[in-house]
Amino acid sequence: MGAIWISWRTTTTVILTILQIQALISVETKAVTGMEGQRFDFRCNYQDGQQNNSKYLCYEKDNVSSNYLISTNEHNKWVTNGRFSLYDNTISAFFIVRVDNLTLEDSGMYWCGVDVSQHPDHISVIQLNVSRGTVSPNFQKKDLTVDNVI
């Protein structure tokens, strides 16, 4: 019987691949609903120690991913790109992504993430469904905030 020898590099590669697959599988999707014309905020938590990393938001519709809708290296201040804004709260280890004036076309899957070099990014997934509706004059700009579960 011959002994099988596996190099430490091969073993390390296999272990890291398994951990990366588990990380991708464990991502939960949070389903939320917004109303056309409203502002929508959602909160993306991240791990302590990732305060200085870049934060971003991507969009996926019909299994096609977009480039970043917004991304930033700025911390503790609002950054805006069109209808999308992002605020990275480094003290509490979360960032807020805001979408102004929702449209029906905004329905879809959103990925908010923290860029983690040499590891899978820390991501939160939100399935946003925008519904058409009439808004009472007393409740025209009601805001919706969602906390992720990751």
Side-chain angles (χ1 to χ4, degrees):
M1 297 213 165
I4 297 175
W5 183 80
I6 300 175
S7 74
W8 65 270
R9 287 183 187 194
T10 303
T11 303
T12 303
T13 302
V14 169
I15 291 171
L16 288 175
T17 302
I18 290 170
L19 291 174
Q20 289 174 345
I21 290 170
Q22 286 177 335
L24 290 173
I25 291 171
S26 68
V27 172
E28 289 188 43
T29 300
K30 181 85 171 177
V32 296
T33 302
M35 188 175 293
E36 188 177 29
Q38 289 184 338
R39 181 177 81 196
F40 182 79
D41 290 345
F42 49 93
R43 175 179 162 157
C44 304
N45 296 314
Y46 55 84
Q47 298 171 358
D48 192 34
Q50 295 179 336
Q51 284 85 346
N52 292 324
N53 297 50
S54 297
K55 314 305 186 296
Y56 61 86
L57 176 71
C58 293
Y59 175 72
E60 178 181 306
K61 189 168 186 174
D62 301 325
N63 294 322
V64 177
S65 296
S66 72
N67 291 327
Y68 297 145
L69 295 170
I70 188 167
S71 65
T72 187
N73 289 320
E74 300 287 333
H75 310 290
N76 302 308
K77 70 180 213 175
W78 282 100
V79 175
T80 301
N81 181 19
R83 294 184 305 121
F84 299 93
S85 302
L86 190 151
Y87 181 88
D88 182 14
N89 182 332
T90 59
I91 295 168
S92 299
F94 69 85
F95 63 99
I96 297 170
V97 176
R98 175 173 289 164
V99 183
D100 289 324
N101 195 22
L102 285 174
T103 66
L104 295 175
E105 291 77 30
D106 290 328
S107 292
M109 185 94 54
Y110 290 83
W111 299 69
C112 58
V114 177
D115 185 20
V116 182
S117 61
Q118 299 180 359
H119 298 285
D121 287 357
H122 180 86
I123 60 170
S124 303
V125 181
I126 293 119
Q127 174 64 48
L128 174 62
N129 297 306
V130 179
S131 61
R132 175 173 283 143
T134 57
V135 180
S136 163
N138 294 335
F139 300 102
Q140 283 186 345
K141 288 294 182 180
K142 182 179 177 189
D143 299 329
L144 177 64
T145 302
V146 175
D147 291 337
N148 72 342
V149 184
I150 295 179

